[in-house]
Amino acid sequence: MTQTLSQKFARVVLYAFLLIVFCGPFWGILATAFNSATVQPGKLLLWPEEFTLRHFSYAWHEAKAYVYLFNSLLVALIGTALQTLVSAMAAYALARKRFRGMAVVSLAILSTMMLPEEVIAIPLYLTLQAKIPVLDVSLYNTYFALILPVVGWAFSVFLLTEFMKAVPQDLEDAARVDGASELQIFRHVILPLVKPALGTAAIFGFLMIWDQYLLPLIAVDKRELYTIPVVLRSMRVDEIMQSNIFIAVTVIATVPSVLVYLALQRQFNSGLTAGAVKG
Amino acid sequence: MKYCKLGLAIATAGALLATPVIASETVSVWMRYGENERPVLDKLVAEFNSQTGHEVDLFLANTDFETRLARAAAGGNLPDIIVNDATAIGQLLEMGVVREIDRASFVGGDEIFDVAWDSTLGPDGKHYGVPTSAQAFAVFVRKDWREALGLEKPQTWEELFELARAFTEDDPDGNGEADTYGYVMPVSATRGYATWFLSDLIWQAGGAFVSDDGGTFHATLNTAEVATGVEFGRSFICAGYAQPAAITATTGDTTPVFASGQAGIYRSGPYHIAPLYGEPGKDLVEVILPPAGPAGRDSLGEGEAAFITVTSEIPEIAQSFIEFLVSEKGQRLGMAEGMDSSPIVRLSVNKSVDTLAVRQDEGWATFAEQFGEAGHYFPRVPNWKPIRQMTADGFNRILADCDSDIGAELAAMDGIVNAELDRQGVLSK
Amino acid sequence: MQSKPRQWQWAVPWLFLAPALIVFTWFKFVPIAKGMVMSLHNMKFFGPDEWVGLAHYERAISDSALHAAVGNTLLYVIVSTVVGGVLAFCVALALQDQARHVRIIRTAIFIPAVTSVAILSEIWRIVFYPAANGVANSFIALFYIPAQSWMADPDQALYVVILLQIWKSIPYNMVIFLAGLAGINRELYDAADVDGANVWRKLWHVTLPGLIPAFSVVIMLSFIRGFRVFTEIYTTTGGGPAGRTEVIMTVIFKTGFERLDYGYAAAVSFLLVAFTVLLTVLHITIKNRISRF
């Protein structure tokens, strides 16, 4: 596509503007994390005045960021995988099938998204404390307590349902005529066609689980099981610890999210190119 | 004969072995502290263990403490002991989770300051907790700035205002830029900070939040004295001598303001001595008594207290741990004597502990002096917390608008506070 | 490969739904039911809860602090949805090119979406610092606009917080729009070209209709998130100054959860849910009408 010089210039300006608006502040935060002295509130550094790694060192060693990072990673990776799978299966039923009770199930699942989580904090706590029959153990203070409750996420179901609905019926019918089973249709016909949505749901699911604050707060009270958001909040109100350390922990906490996003986004981008080629 | 002695020896040995050893119990304790205080607490627990043989299972949380407690209460998982702000007693009593403490039979009870014991009184005149730490608020000042501008330590409100003005307008750090401010003020409505901060000024002006009519209370915010105090606080913000964004600032925001050298006057507690000596630096910081207003230099006195829960199955052993905490040995350990750790005891509640001898610092001496002579606790209504929040909302409204009608707003606050006092069942008729 | 015998066909959707239903029931529906029960009681921490029936709901309806908060919340939701949605759509259009440098920019601007709200609030406080040398004030100084108080100003605070929501949601929504744009059949564009359509007509007749699911998702999400907003406001303005940024959730937090008045908090929350459910049903109905047409 040929563009006039002024069009090109406009594009460059637009890109620069977007980068500054969306990425600029984070550069400043990064500079603060590497800065030795506490930065004056309101001041956004472009470059550390006195470069140091000690905030990161403190965050990693003394503040034990690596423990919480590990917990967050474990919970978010496993949780996302389970969540995307469970949501895809549910979306398949809601998008491609007609059955009695469909509207009720839909609305029930959707309405869970509208509920502020704090309301069910106490009941959920009691549920996690309760002993499971037969096994006679409770989920409390286990990784299960951190993972299982987030496997069900209405947004994921909702997103995948919308996109699965758009798959043309003929493709499915053709496969059925060929004698494919439900599971095969699900795996080989529908899923590949909603790859962008799957990638999107996975990214958002990971971020949601990564950011969870209330659930880890009520699910565990052993420090070794804490996830990053819980620790971050504790550091935010800590008036004795230097604030740069808090920033350093946040930077450490952001790295995995960014990496996961980069990884999933490549797959999601390939979905975009697939669409272009297909046309 | 030999066999008799042997037999006796065996029998005695058998009797001794058969005597049940007193079982070592584990006391579960929840404390509203964070990891900064962990080294001191570990030492305390170890010392208690070596003295009594009992274990302590410690849980620390410096956020969401009350909501965690509520969940634990709902689930029947309360600990034996809770260590929290003394002002939490109201909420704990409303929840019904704390046990009465018999002051007379409390070992070492008479060594604790009376004013500290007062902070754990319930509305029925009985004690429901034991004070473990105390503090009063004073003022940190940038000594280098003050001396660079040739000013004396402020001792009155007028001098304080002048100091704040000078810090804002006269370039105290000499860098040629107008980037410094005077008085750091956390007056957000969140968690009642506005009230927590303005209380000093209100009392220094001779005002009071409520009047104690002997067991019942009524709100006394709409008075000239309270208005004077609030107006004085507002004057800093409206003149530009407070830090920007004060109206939404909490203490998490204000400490970096002082530490980074953006402002030069900070009202805070002794727990900030160590970090502020670190940054901006020990030679740059001094602690002064709060400058006096029309009615004196009262400032907020607060403390921590230990409570025993009604669900505890080992209340006597739990009490023995608390007795250890307030004993001279426990208090000195709690003050992090000889250790580089955040203390859990700021000023000792135990009369026999010489705070100055333990701390050996002028700054601490100033705080001790302020507590002893002009520490002023919050009113002892059944539950202070909701009133703190409501008044903070009101103060925040006044401070947000330089032209607001203080009298009208205070009158409205009186109404709201009286409604709450009524709900708590202590409104004077 | 045989498909299931006819008589078991009815079970198929339920089997696919099963894992989701188990998780939802165990960790959401049951606690929600318990929460509803809680909203009809005064929670007592010892002994049985005290039944109060609809007292909490009545109190919620007459609570004036709540009314003001509802107004703020509505404004928050509507502005952030409309402005955020439109801007995200424009950004998606501008960045849907497959060129390598565009992909990099797309990836880069997603940073606000992967960052915790804690840091985003810090950033907002820094950028909108009320002093003359604050980032935002320095920027508007270029246009000779005097320094503003932003979140310290009772009249401006809510809009600044709404701007945070918009800023944060643009990359998020952009991704959804991009996924939607990818799904539009290129042949439709080719056919439009053959018909001699210009850019705007292609937009109106091909792009927008193809993006209906994407718009639907974006609007729904924005509404649902908007009504539930809490952390962004609590960590920046705390509901101030002077209560001008109080939203439903901050009020619930202050008068309910912080006061351990869980019954009341639950009641207000369920009123919020009911309202949002109503809106959702409305939205779905409207959407279906538009699709059909």
Side-chain angles (χ1 to χ4, degrees):
Chain A
M1 199 186 350
T2 51
Q3 290 176 354
T4 66
L5 198 60
S6 59
Q7 268 183 335
K8 268 202 168 153
F9 180 69
R11 287 209 150 235
V12 170
V13 168
L14 175 69
Y15 295 157
F17 175 73
L18 286 175
L19 280 175
I20 293 177
V21 167
F22 288 98
C23 305
F26 296 93
W27 179 260
I29 296 287
L30 208 60
T32 307
F34 286 105
N35 193 50
S36 185
T38 301
V39 176
Q40 283 199 9
K43 197 163 153 188
L44 201 64
L45 287 182
L46 282 176
W47 198 259
E49 284 161 7
E50 194 190 317
F51 186 90
T52 179
L53 286 174
R54 63 182 167 92
H55 302 306
F56 283 98
S57 168
Y58 187 93
W60 192 260
H61 294 116
E62 279 88 332
K64 299 226 178 60
Y66 60 93
V67 173
Y68 313 120
L69 194 65
F70 172 75
N71 289 337
S72 276
L73 267 173
L74 189 73
V75 169
L77 286 173
I78 298 183
T80 307
L82 286 176
Q83 186 194 82
T84 313
L85 178 64
V86 168
S87 300
M89 288 174 68
Y92 179 68
L94 290 173
R96 316 294 306 176
K97 305 279 169 218
R98 278 218 152 82
F99 55 97
R100 274 237 211 92
M102 193 169 132
V104 172
V105 170
S106 259
L107 201 59
I109 292 183
L110 199 59
S111 58
T112 62
M113 243 170 95
M114 307 173 201
L115 189 75
E117 339 173 71
E118 289 81 3
V119 182
I120 56 169
I122 289 195
L124 188 58
Y125 171 79
L126 294 173
T127 302
L128 291 171
Q129 288 265 329
K131 294 237 156 81
I132 308 175
V134 175
L135 296 171
D136 202 36
V137 285
S138 86
L139 294 173
Y140 192 70
N141 267 336
T142 65
Y143 282 109
F144 291 108
L146 290 167
I147 297 176
L148 290 179
V150 284
V151 169
W153 193 33
F155 169 68
S156 202
V157 176
F158 179 57
L159 181 72
L160 289 170
T161 307
E162 287 292 315
F163 280 90
M164 278 192 191
K165 275 192 198 158
V167 175
Q169 186 65 32
D170 351 345
L171 291 169
E172 197 186 330
D173 293 339
R176 226 175 279 271
V177 160
D178 285 345
S181 72
E182 287 298 337
L183 215 54
Q184 286 174 323
I185 296 180
F186 176 63
R187 262 189 71 194
H188 299 293
V189 178
I190 305 290
L191 280 189
L193 289 176
V194 293
K195 249 196 179 171
L198 279 177
T200 312
I203 293 172
F204 288 162
F206 181 87
L207 294 176
M208 183 276 280
I209 300 178
W210 188 260
D211 267 345
Q212 279 285 305
Y213 175 69
L214 193 65
L215 179 63
L217 199 67
I218 62 179
V220 301
D221 60 26
K222 276 201 259 185
R223 209 171 167 90
E224 327 61 278
L225 290 173
Y226 281 175
T227 57
I228 295 233
V230 178
V231 169
L232 273 180
R233 172 92 92 126
S234 168
M235 287 187 183
R236 175 72 172 87
V237 302
D238 187 332
E239 300 173 27
I240 298 182
M241 192 180 73
Q242 195 179 0
S243 54
N244 293 22
I245 299 175
F246 164 72
I247 306 271
V249 178
T250 333
V251 170
I252 294 177
T254 309
V255 169
S257 310
V258 172
L259 289 177
V260 167
Y261 169 65
L262 288 176
L264 283 175
Q265 162 259 31
R266 217 182 307 145
Q267 193 238 27
F268 152 85
N269 255 329
S270 73
L272 288 179
T273 24
V277 166
K278 193 180 63 172
Chain B
M1 268 299 134
K2 224 175 27 179
Y3 292 112
C4 276
K5 277 198 186 150
L6 189 57
L8 196 59
I10 295 176
T12 317
L16 279 171
L17 283 168
T19 308
V21 176
I22 296 178
S24 149
E25 294 284 355
T26 303
V27 186
S28 66
V29 183
W30 280 25
M31 293 201 183
R32 203 170 134 271
Y33 290 111
E35 287 304 300
N36 291 319
E37 287 85 11
R38 176 73 72 172
V40 163
L41 289 168
D42 284 343
K43 221 173 170 194
L44 272 168
V45 164
E47 182 64 32
F48 178 70
N49 180 259
S50 73
Q51 267 188 22
T52 63
H54 294 301
E55 307 279 343
V56 174
D57 177 24
L58 203 54
F59 172 70
L60 301 180
N62 65 343
T63 59
D64 306 287
F65 197 73
E66 284 77 24
T67 44
R68 288 188 206 252
L69 264 181
R71 281 192 286 270
N77 296 320
L78 283 173
D80 295 303
I81 296 178
I82 301 170
V83 177
N84 197 355
D85 289 343
T87 43
I89 190 174
Q91 203 162 53
L92 293 172
L93 281 170
E94 264 191 18
M95 284 168 70
V97 300
V98 289
R99 197 186 273 269
E100 187 194 333
I101 305 261
D102 180 18
R103 180 170 169 178
S105 69
F106 188 86
V107 173
D110 44 357
E111 290 190 351
I112 299 178
F113 288 108
D114 284 331
V115 65
W117 266 121
D118 281 349
S119 69
T120 61
L121 277 172
D124 54 4
K126 301 193 188 139
H127 290 281
Y128 287 89
V130 182
T132 55
S133 165
Q135 67 193 16
F137 286 84
V139 181
F140 290 89
V141 174
R142 277 298 289 261
K143 186 164 145 189
D144 54 331
W145 289 8
R146 183 178 63 72
E147 290 174 349
L149 295 176
L151 293 167
E152 297 295 318
K153 294 187 193 182
Q155 291 183 319
T156 66
W157 274 12
E158 292 73 28
E159 289 169 13
L160 178 66
F161 194 78
E162 170 56 25
L163 189 67
R165 185 209 62 76
F167 279 174
T168 308
E169 297 177 351
D170 298 346
D171 192 25
D173 60 353
N175 66 354
E177 304 232 1
D179 57 358
T180 53
Y181 295 91
Y183 204 168
V184 189
M185 306 175 70
V187 287
S188 168
T190 317
R191 287 195 295 280
Y193 273 107
T195 299
W196 178 81
F197 179 81
L198 284 175
S199 56
D200 287 11
L201 301 178
I202 289 176
W203 292 323
Q204 287 163 13
F209 286 89
V210 296
S211 142
D212 185 342
D213 310 316
T216 56
F217 304 84
H218 69 272
T220 53
L221 289 165
N222 191 13
T223 58
E225 290 84 11
V226 173
T228 307
V230 176
E231 167 116 54
F232 183 58
R234 190 174 72 174
S235 66
F236 287 93
I237 299 179
C238 294
Y241 302 154
Q243 90 279 22
I247 198 74
T248 52
T250 63
T251 49
D253 305 305
T254 51
T255 305
V257 170
F258 188 78
S260 68
Q262 193 185 45
I265 309 173
Y266 191 26
R267 172 265 198 189
S268 187
Y271 46 88
H272 269 139
I273 291 183
L276 292 179
Y277 277 2
E279 189 186 24
K282 184 163 182 179
D283 303 319
L284 306 178
V285 166
E286 62 188 358
V287 182
I288 63 169
L289 295 170
R297 55 174 170 87
D298 276 22
S299 73
L300 181 59
E302 299 185 316
E304 316 295 296
F307 307 90
I308 304 182
T309 56
V310 291
T311 50
S312 172
E313 291 169 8
I314 43 171
E316 303 84 21
I317 302 180
Q319 182 157 324
S320 71
F321 180 64
I322 303 181
E323 285 163 358
F324 168 67
L325 281 180
V326 302
S327 68
E328 191 186 335
K329 177 108 207 241
Q331 289 278 294
R332 292 180 85 111
L333 275 176
M335 291 165 86
E337 188 177 23
M339 280 180 78
D340 185 24
S341 160
S342 266
I344 64 159
V345 177
R346 278 102 189 227
L347 297 174
S348 176
V349 294
N350 192 319
K351 294 179 206 165
S352 35
V353 174
D354 181 356
T355 299
L356 195 50
V358 176
R359 302 280 186 205
Q360 291 163 353
D361 179 274
E362 267 182 36
W364 276 102
T366 311
F367 278 106
E369 187 185 335
Q370 175 67 11
F371 177 72
E373 293 173 21
H376 194 139
Y377 278 73
F378 274 128
R380 285 188 312 95
V381 294
N383 192 354
W384 171 247
K385 266 195 161 163
I387 299 184
R388 185 181 69 186
Q389 180 64 56
M390 297 165 175
T391 46
D393 286 327
F395 288 139
N396 187 275
R397 260 193 295 277
I398 297 178
L399 296 172
D401 180 0
C402 293
D403 305 314
S404 53
D405 181 347
I406 297 186
E409 189 62 53
L410 288 176
M413 284 163 72
D414 263 351
I416 298 176
V417 173
N418 279 331
E420 174 62 24
L421 288 171
D422 196 16
R423 196 197 71 86
Q424 293 184 16
V426 293
L427 182 62
S428 315
K429 295 294 173 227
Chain C
M1 285 291 117
Q2 302 164 355
S3 27
K4 285 192 160 46
R6 287 248 124 189
Q7 55 180 146
W8 294 118
Q9 279 296 80
W10 67 269
V12 168
W14 293 105
L15 286 174
F16 273 92
L17 273 175
L21 284 179
I22 293 176
V23 176
F24 269 88
T25 308
W26 193 0
F27 298 109
K28 300 236 192 294
F29 297 142
V30 168
I32 288 176
K34 285 195 187 154
M36 281 186 172
V37 170
M38 220 162 69
S39 75
L40 301 171
H41 291 83
N42 251 341
M43 197 164 175
K44 293 265 175 262
F45 295 92
F46 282 103
D49 296 337
E50 179 194 344
W51 170 266
V52 293
L54 294 175
H56 291 310
Y57 290 94
E58 285 164 6
R59 183 176 144 204
I61 295 182
S62 53
D63 187 346
S64 61
L66 200 54
H67 294 167
V70 170
N72 287 342
T73 314
L74 275 173
L75 192 65
Y76 186 93
V77 169
I78 294 175
V79 176
S80 66
T81 303
V82 172
V83 179
V86 169
L87 286 180
F89 173 62
C90 296
V91 173
L93 278 182
L95 294 183
Q96 62 172 314
D97 195 8
Q98 287 319 304
R100 177 113 186 240
H101 61 276
V102 181
R103 288 226 307 263
I104 295 180
I105 295 185
R106 267 211 305 267
T107 310
I109 71 172
F110 200 67
I111 291 191
V114 295
T115 319
S116 70
V117 183
I119 271 278
L120 296 181
S121 306
E122 288 299 317
I123 289 179
W124 227 240
R125 288 186 72 103
I126 294 175
V127 168
F128 286 98
Y129 205 62
N133 58 356
V135 176
N137 281 333
S138 305
F139 180 68
I140 61 176
L142 294 174
F143 302 98
Y144 299 106
I145 306 177
Q148 304 293 310
S149 298
W150 307 116
M151 293 192 285
D153 182 326
D155 296 317
Q156 296 176 346
L158 188 59
Y159 294 102
V160 178
V161 177
I162 291 178
L163 194 64
L164 173 59
Q165 181 69 22
I166 293 175
W167 179 72
K168 187 161 81 86
S169 67
I170 284 181
Y172 218 71
N173 295 334
M174 172 198 78
V175 166
I176 299 178
F177 281 125
L178 284 174
L181 283 170
I184 297 179
N185 201 333
R186 287 294 172 275
E187 286 171 11
L188 293 171
Y189 284 117
D190 295 338
D193 277 335
V194 165
D195 284 346
N198 68 7
V199 176
W200 298 107
R201 294 201 65 155
K202 276 195 273 190
L203 200 71
W204 184 255
H205 289 285
V206 181
T207 314
L208 284 180
L211 279 181
I212 286 185
F215 270 108
S216 170
V217 170
V218 165
I219 292 178
M220 279 259 44
L221 280 185
S222 184
F223 263 61
I224 291 175
R225 287 229 174 83
F227 279 109
R228 276 176 44 181
V229 67
F230 173 71
T231 316
E232 291 84 341
I233 299 200
Y234 197 69
T235 47
T236 49
T237 58
R244 294 293 296 274
T245 56
E246 290 280 7
V247 289
I248 298 176
M249 282 308 300
T250 54
V251 170
I252 293 181
F253 195 78
K254 282 188 192 165
T255 59
F257 297 108
E258 262 188 353
R259 304 272 322 259
L260 301 185
D261 194 354
Y262 285 103
Y264 182 62
V268 184
S269 305
F270 282 112
L271 281 176
L272 181 61
V273 174
F275 175 68
T276 325
V277 168
L278 221 73
L279 266 181
T280 311
V281 171
L282 206 69
H283 167 94
I284 294 180
T285 321
I286 294 180
K287 192 199 104 182
N288 286 342
R289 291 260 166 84
I290 294 185
S291 298
R292 240 169 273 154
F293 143 84

